[in-house]
Amino acid sequence: MRDMRFRLLCTATAAPNDFMELGTSSEALGDLRRVEMMAQFFNHDGGETSKWRLKKHAAKHAFWAWVCTWARAIQKPSDLGFPNAGYDLPPLKTVEHIVRASTANPDFLFDMPAVGLDEQRKERRRTIQERCETAAALVNGTGKPFVSWCHLNEEGHLLEKLIPDAVEVEGSDSDEFKEETFEAFAAGQIRGIVSKPSIAGFGLNWQHCAHQTFFPSHSFEQWYQSIRRCWRFGQKNPVTIDVISSEGESGVVANMNRKDEQAANLIARLVELINAEAI
């Protein structure tokens, strides 16, 4: 991008997992290179080359003040000094549901939090039936629109089977079927959608729907974008997100919540400093 005269980067999920990644944006926009940013604002933490942390003075002010020299953050008009009329989001309620596997874990005497991606994948597959049954129980019989997010084909197929008035959209479907199904859902002709965040988690406007079920993953981007299909400007009702996981997936849920909190703090800090500069 260094040969481009005008540069613009836009994102809803700037760096929830690692503030160091802001150096990539800085370098792309022609400010400090990533290695220069790390040398100026970060300390190498211990013997692991991948672990860096913000210096104390940088965490309090210096780092964020520097970010504000090339970045702007906004979640609502008032962040830039304008009235919020028509742009106030309704309440968002996140409810965690923990299910217990009906089959024993062959590796342990009793269920333990899965450690590492391999164990977490095994835990996810071992609890497909229980998680899908819980999701179905939460949406069946309500008569209201819903979205049930999944990550595995087996989850999607089972959810569609357990929820009679749901339509599954999967990767192998034609573009025409996906488009027709999403439009029918938005028009109220279909009560519920079952799909993956990678398929339906971006760009769609489903403000008529205020209920989702979600199986957690380590991807904050998928979590953020999936929620925002319904919890977005134009939504008139409180939105409920039912997060369904097994006892062994506690580490996945904790990681997702950590990223969510870190992203909120990042935006809040940038907005605070931007407004302070404006004053």
Side-chain angles (χ1 to χ4, degrees):
M1 293 181 66
R2 65 167 56 96
D3 295 328
M4 297 182 180
R5 182 180 178 187
F6 301 107
R7 312 175 195 180
L8 175 66
L9 301 178
C10 300
T11 179
T13 53
N17 191 37
D18 194 342
F19 290 153
M20 291 190 304
E21 288 303 317
L22 290 172
T24 305
S25 299
S26 168
E27 186 166 351
L29 293 171
D31 207 279
L32 289 181
R33 292 187 301 128
R34 188 172 185 272
V35 293
E36 295 172 337
M37 178 203 74
M38 291 170 64
Q40 184 168 339
F41 298 111
F42 289 82
N43 279 324
H44 188 229
D45 196 3
E48 296 186 40
T49 57
S50 62
K51 288 191 175 181
W52 295 74
R53 58 179 172 80
L54 272 172
K55 297 177 180 178
K56 288 185 178 180
H57 79 281
K60 290 181 179 179
H61 182 79
F63 176 71
W64 302 110
W66 166 72
V67 172
C68 285
T69 63
W70 54 267
R72 289 294 182 267
I74 177 173
Q75 289 185 308
K76 53 187 181 297
S78 61
D79 291 340
L80 296 181
F82 296 95
N84 283 332
Y87 291 92
D88 288 314
L89 289 174
L92 175 68
K93 182 181 180 181
T94 302
V95 184
E96 293 188 11
H97 305 266
I98 301 176
V99 303
R100 177 170 293 182
S102 57
T103 58
N105 189 332
D107 299 322
F108 298 98
L109 183 62
F110 48 86
D111 284 344
M112 297 285 290
V115 178
L117 292 177
D118 186 55
E119 286 188 11
Q120 289 167 359
R121 292 190 189 100
K122 291 180 180 178
E123 179 68 15
R124 175 173 291 178
R125 291 192 176 277
R126 189 171 71 97
T127 59
I128 289 177
Q129 185 73 31
E130 293 81 3
R131 289 184 290 104
C132 289
E133 288 178 352
T134 300
L138 289 166
V139 301
N140 278 338
T142 67
K144 297 180 180 180
F146 67 90
V147 180
S148 286
W149 299 107
C150 61
H151 300 288
L152 304 174
N153 290 334
E154 294 93 326
E155 294 170 344
H157 300 336
L158 184 55
L159 284 169
E160 186 179 37
K161 180 180 178 181
L162 295 172
I163 308 171
D165 47 0
V167 177
E168 181 188 6
V169 177
E170 55 183 324
S172 60
D173 291 329
S174 67
D175 291 342
E176 291 75 18
F177 175 81
K178 293 174 184 175
E179 183 176 350
E180 290 172 1
T181 303
F182 293 151
E183 288 182 350
F185 177 60
Q189 299 167 2
I190 295 173
R191 187 172 84 89
I193 288 287
V194 174
S195 194
K196 299 177 182 178
S198 57
I199 296 173
F202 300 86
L204 295 167
N205 297 291
W206 289 337
Q207 292 95 327
H208 74 293
C209 174
H211 186 198
Q212 296 183 8
T213 66
F214 192 90
F215 299 149
S217 74
H218 288 292
S219 173
F220 173 77
E221 182 181 38
Q222 289 187 355
W223 163 250
Y224 179 94
Q225 293 290 350
S226 297
I227 289 175
R228 294 286 173 159
R229 296 314 96 222
C230 301
W231 193 51
R232 57 192 299 112
F233 296 136
Q235 175 63 258
K236 304 299 183 183
N237 302 305
V239 175
T240 298
I241 311 295
D242 287 305
V243 180
I244 305 164
S245 63
S246 69
E247 293 176 316
E249 291 181 294
S250 59
V252 180
V253 176
N255 191 34
M256 187 180 72
N257 290 336
R258 177 188 62 80
K259 292 179 181 181
D260 199 7
E261 182 179 357
Q262 193 167 348
N265 291 338
L266 182 153
I267 296 297
R269 188 64 174 136
L270 290 180
V271 170
E272 176 187 347
L273 288 173
I274 290 170
N275 290 335
E277 287 183 359
I279 294 173

